[in-house]
Amino acid sequence: MATRLVQVNMKAHNASALGRFWAEALGWAIDSEEYGSSLEPVGFAYPDPAAVCIDLIARPEPKTVKNRVHLDLATTSATHRTELVARLKELGATPADVGQGDVPWTVMADPEGNEFCVLEPRPIYQGTGPIAAVVVDCADPRAMARFWGEAMDWTLHEVTDDHAVMRSAKAVGPYLEFIRTSDPKTVWNRVHLDICPYPGDDMAAEEARLRTLGATDPGIDQSDLHWRVLVDPEGNEFCLLTPR
């Protein structure tokens, strides 16, 4: 058994408005607005490793700290990067300072304050689509790589004390990166990962397997959910969706 990363879940005060921002930013379509906004590339057949989709859910809680999960956007040239930053500002994004100092990429925040980066052109991200990487702050990239490497069938490309890099087993779509940070996790993550078993796999068995790897229960009432909320070894919430 194995899972795969299928989407990034974002909490939002106005899921429809934030969904429109990200759809315009990525050039994607709004697939559904039944419970918030579900975004995916035009013509995309969900789920497919060629893209990690975005699911925005309306929640009233305020954003109080820097998100531990963010998106890095890819660019193909210096001109493309300049044009993308300008277009994102027109859509409502603003420059953000997270202590990055003098770096070759641009740190921004979406209209609800969620941080993201517009990267300078890098060969590794050519062909990923508009999202170069989904980035997770962590205390121990090696430990996170062990857990997520066994939780999913994604391929581990690189791991050091400071970062770990994974990509889908089919070598398509964005990367998943774990970056060492000294900032501790203090609140429920407003942005988290959603993973999904393959069709025909048993969801209960997959949940049990994830628990043997180090996943734990977040201590919330899940009696009305048709998915499972779990916590990884560093306390990051994630959802195990029903097989598709």
Side-chain angles (χ1 to χ4, degrees):
M1 292 188 296
T3 66
R4 58 265 169 85
L5 177 60
V6 293
Q7 62 190 31
V8 172
N9 183 292
M10 293 185 181
K11 303 299 185 288
H13 293 140
N14 189 331
S16 294
L18 196 60
R20 289 192 294 272
F21 167 84
W22 280 106
E24 290 285 344
L26 301 174
W28 285 7
I30 299 176
D31 179 62
S32 172
E33 292 188 282
E34 183 178 0
Y35 301 106
S37 288
S38 296
L39 313 181
E40 60 185 38
V42 176
F44 182 77
Y46 180 98
D48 187 307
V52 172
C53 299
I54 298 178
D55 193 33
L56 295 111
I57 303 297
R59 293 290 302 176
E61 297 87 1
K63 181 179 184 295
T64 58
V65 299
K66 175 182 175 291
N67 290 334
R68 295 187 72 80
V69 180
H70 74 264
L71 302 180
D72 281 354
L73 304 189
T75 61
T76 57
S77 67
T79 299
H80 179 210
R81 176 175 170 270
T82 299
E83 292 175 346
L84 179 58
V85 168
R87 186 167 66 84
L88 291 166
K89 288 180 179 179
E90 291 177 356
L91 293 173
T94 54
D97 186 349
V98 294
Q100 69 269 22
D102 185 15
V103 293
W105 59 88
T106 302
V107 183
M108 307 189 79
D110 71 17
E112 291 206 6
N114 299 299
E115 303 85 4
F116 66 95
C117 297
V118 180
L119 302 181
E120 74 286 5
R122 301 183 194 180
I124 188 175
Y125 298 130
Q126 302 307 304
T128 61
I131 299 177
V134 179
V135 183
V136 182
D137 291 350
C138 66
D140 188 343
R142 291 187 184 276
M144 292 291 273
R146 283 193 297 271
F147 172 79
W148 286 102
E150 293 187 54
M152 304 192 301
D153 66 355
W154 280 33
T155 301
L156 181 64
H157 286 255
E158 183 179 4
V159 59
T160 70
D161 289 343
D162 293 320
H163 70 275
V165 180
M166 305 174 67
R167 200 182 189 191
S168 80
K170 294 185 178 181
V172 295
Y175 289 79
L176 175 62
E177 301 180 359
F178 299 96
I179 305 299
R180 180 184 289 277
T181 178
S182 59
D183 299 330
K185 182 180 185 295
T186 56
V187 299
W188 187 280
N189 288 347
R190 290 185 65 79
V191 183
H192 71 249
L193 308 181
D194 283 351
I195 61 175
C196 184
Y198 283 86
D201 283 352
D202 182 85
M203 186 174 175
E206 187 60 35
E207 179 185 351
R209 186 184 72 88
L210 292 170
R211 289 180 182 275
T212 66
L213 298 177
T216 53
D217 195 298
I220 61 173
D221 180 12
Q222 303 191 49
S223 58
D224 292 334
L225 303 182
H226 57 79
W227 62 91
R228 297 298 296 173
V229 183
L230 296 167
V231 176
D232 75 14
E234 288 206 4
N236 298 297
E237 302 83 11
F238 67 94
C239 291
L240 175 66
L241 307 182
T242 55
R244 291 185 60 178

